[in-house]
């Protein structure tokens, strides 16, 4: 063998030896890699099989579970993988510590085997259609910190075994069908910080949070006294559940609280004075307290507030004189209370405030003369405000509701406002007396439609803002809206659908709707007095009736007609037998005694507000009509298009007619006399009645100013004018 051949042979043998050695090392390393606990792997495989789901690309439950992407704890929060787990490993074994099956429309029960994954610290089963009870075996998850089973259809009582989860930081049971009281044992979860929407938090890759949300969960009764021990609570979301009794005083000891929501509950007042200790609050939303008058004294030191909503809380007080010190305040809602006095100038001057709702109180005086540029949504409707308007009412992009006050309607200071406000001041002055109309029909949120029985529903597709009104040119009807969609960009306050609807011959009538998140009022104006049949028509076009979490929404609102509550907790889907595409019609008899009819749809905070999307709550209506239950005597015709305004003109020229009559009498008395020089002076006088254009009458009566009104005649209002001969 030559030297070169021998060298090559030795090189091959050496390379082979190195390769064998590398393979042995690799095999040794593979044998030392930690593997998923076999029991946990078997449990997870069976759960996924029962729910009909599989792992996303990137990890494979048929192979080694705790490998690849799931070893990175940040992946759980990214949203890249769903469903997803994360694992924690020691030298030989990996345990499943997080499990997320989020918004996959899983239908069925929660398998009992899941509660044997005892190393779980985070379980997120939100937005599915899980049914049945939440098992008492949930108490096995003693290491759990974040437990979220919201937006499902779970039922039965909330298990007391939740009290065994002493490391729990966040709990979400929102939007389920639970029943019974909150378990007092939850008071043992001393580390609990958030009872809040988890989807509000699962957005960052490095999160350390704790919390709880029980909104719309179905629980009821008093808040257990053991909750006084929950000193670490940072957020509590507890709206739309039948919590009863008084709001507990001990909440005032939750000094770390930054957010508190009690909306649509069954609490009675007054508000606890201990709330004065909650100086860390940035968001406080409470509404719907019955009985028990409250004051605003407790907010005097809450200078960190950004959102303050105390709506319909039986508050009898004035707006605090130090309101100008709340420099972080962006939203203030004190509507539907008994607040009196004047509006402090400092409130309108806050640099951060954007939305202000003060409607349905007893405020008096005038509007502040100055306004912060940031304040673009203002509701002061249904108060006792008076005087002229400040110059800022004409600002662009301003949403302003001034309905039902006593403002001075001078054309010089209201030119920037939507027309017809004079018809919507207190006592609704337009076409008073004998009236002008005896019916009206409105296609809420849409274009004009003629129904199958020939009724013309007038268009109602004007853009309404968070505080706005609209009056038709004919002054036959009007609409007023108040409310702000916090998480929605719906600027028109309308919704539409292309669906076909059952229980009606007029599907098109239900394909648009007017919506609101607080208070929606329609008015029939200038009606002849008497009894009317008011027809209200609805169809749910936002919440569907499928077997997914999107069908769990509940729209609940109250309906008042002429100030009388006719339907409490009205639920369109429930009235339609659970069908989201079925028309619903409700007829009410109402008495008109002062020439106007008011239909008020009011959201009291009940029902869900985030299913199937944020803002799907509050009143929704498709069509309104009113017909007389008597034989009408008025024309039912609007003023002519030429603006001749016959009734007004005849009333104004009555005095001129009398003068003309005197001239005629003088002619017949003296006309037969022989002509003299004096008689010749009368020959050029025209004896025909004087007539005036509408523009001349408008100018002479100062735009038909109520101050110039003398009374009512057979043809309508009579005004005094200055006639220059």
């Amino acid at each position: 063998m030559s030297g070169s051949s021998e060298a090559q042979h030795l090189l091959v043998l050496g390379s082979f030896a190195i390769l064998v050695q590398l393979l042995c090392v690799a095999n040794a390393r593979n044998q030392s890699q930690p593997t998923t606990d076999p029991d946990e792997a078997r449990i997870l495989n069976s759960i996924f099989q029962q729910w009909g789901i599989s792992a996303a690309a990137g990890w494979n439950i048929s192979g080694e579970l705790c490998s690849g992407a799931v070893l990175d704890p940040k992946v759980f929060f990214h949203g890249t993988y769903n469903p997803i787990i994360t694992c924690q490993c020691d030298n030989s074994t990996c345990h499943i510590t997080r499990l997320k099956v989020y918004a996959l429309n899983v239908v069925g029960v929660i398998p009992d085997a899941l509660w044997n994954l005892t190393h779980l610290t985070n379980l997120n089963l939100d937005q599915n259609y899980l049914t049945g009870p939440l098992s008492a075996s949930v108490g096995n998850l003693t290491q759990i910190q974040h437990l979220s089973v919201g937006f499902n259809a779970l039922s039965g009582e909330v298990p007391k075994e939740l009290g065994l989860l002493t490391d729990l930081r966040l709990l979400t049971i929102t939007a389920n069908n639970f029943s019974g009281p909150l378990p007092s044992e939850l008071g043992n979860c001393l580390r609990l910080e958030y009872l809040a929407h988890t989807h509000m938090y699962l957005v960052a890759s490095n999160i350390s949070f704790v919390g709880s949300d029980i909104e719309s969960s179905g629980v009821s009764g008093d808040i257990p006294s053991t909750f006084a021990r929950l000193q670490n609570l940072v957020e509590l979301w507890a709206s739309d559940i039948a919590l009863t009794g008084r709001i507990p005083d001990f909440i005032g000891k939750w000094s770390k609280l930054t957010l508190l929501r009690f909306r649509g509950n069954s609490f009675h007042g007054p508000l606890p004075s201990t709330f004065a200790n909650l100086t860390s609050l940035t968001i406080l939303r409470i509404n719907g307290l019955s009985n028990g008058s409250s004051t605003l004294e407790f907010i005097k030191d809450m200078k960190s507030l950004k959102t303050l909503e105390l709506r319909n809380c039986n508050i009898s007080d004035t707006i605090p004189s130090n309101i100008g010190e709340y420099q972080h305040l962006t939203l203030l809602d004190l509507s539907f209370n008994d607040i009196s006095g004047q509006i402090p100038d400092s409130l309108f001057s806050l640099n951060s405030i954007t939305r202000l709702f003060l409607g349905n109180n007893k405020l008096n005086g005038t509007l502040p003369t100055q306004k912060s540029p940031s304040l673009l949504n203002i509701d002061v409707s249904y108060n006792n405000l008076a005087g002229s308007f400040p110059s800022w009412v004409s600002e662009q992009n301003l949403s302003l509701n001034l309905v039902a006050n006593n403002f001075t309607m001078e054309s010089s200071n209201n030119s920037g406002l939507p027309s017809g406000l004079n018809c919507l001041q207190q006592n609704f002055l337009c076409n008073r007396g004998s009236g002008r109309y005896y019916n009206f029909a409105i296609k809420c949120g849409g274009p004009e439609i003629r129904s199958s029985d020939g009724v013309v529903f007038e268009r109602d597709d004007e853009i309404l803002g968070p505080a706005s009104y609209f009056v038709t040119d004919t002054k036959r009807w009007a609409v007023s809206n108040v409310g702000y969609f916090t998480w929605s960009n719906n600027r028109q306050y309308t919704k539409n659908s292309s669906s076909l609807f059952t229980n009606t011959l007029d599907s098109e009538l239900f394909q648009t709707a007017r919506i609101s998140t607080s208070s929606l009022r329609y008015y029939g104006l200038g009606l002849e007095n008497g009894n009317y049949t008011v027809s209200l028509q609805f169809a749910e076009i936002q919440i569907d009736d499928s077997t997914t979490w999107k069908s769990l929404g509940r729209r609940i609102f109250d309906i008042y007609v002429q100030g009388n509550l006719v339907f409490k907790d009205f639920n369109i889907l429930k009235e339609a037998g659970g069908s989201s595409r079925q028309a619903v019609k409700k007829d009410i008899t109402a008495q008109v005694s002062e020439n106007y009819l008011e239909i008020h749809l009011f959201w009291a905070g009940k029902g869900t507000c985030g299913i199937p999307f944020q803002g799907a709550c509050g009143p929704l209506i498709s069509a309104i009509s009113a017909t007389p239950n008597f034989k009408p005597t008025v024309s039912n015709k609007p003023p002519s298009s030429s603006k001749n305004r016959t009734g007004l003109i005849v009333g104004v020229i009555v005095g001129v007619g009398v003068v003309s009559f005197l001239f005629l009498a003088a002619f017949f008395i003296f006309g037969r006399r022989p002509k003299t020089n004096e008689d010749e002076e009368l020959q050029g006088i025209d004896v025909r009645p004087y007539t005036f254009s509408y523009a001349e009458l408008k100018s002479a009566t100062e735009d038909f100013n109520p101050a110039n009104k003398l009374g009512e005649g057979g043809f309508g209002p009579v005004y005094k004018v200055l006639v220059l001969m």
Side-chain angles (χ1 to χ4, degrees), residues 150-166:
F151 302 92
N152 282 287
L154 298 172
S155 56
E157 292 195 358
V158 177
K160 64 181 180 180
E161 286 75 13
L162 286 173
L164 299 174
L165 311 181
T166 55

Side-chain angles (χ1 to χ4, degrees), residues 309 502 665 689:
E309 175 190 321
T502 61

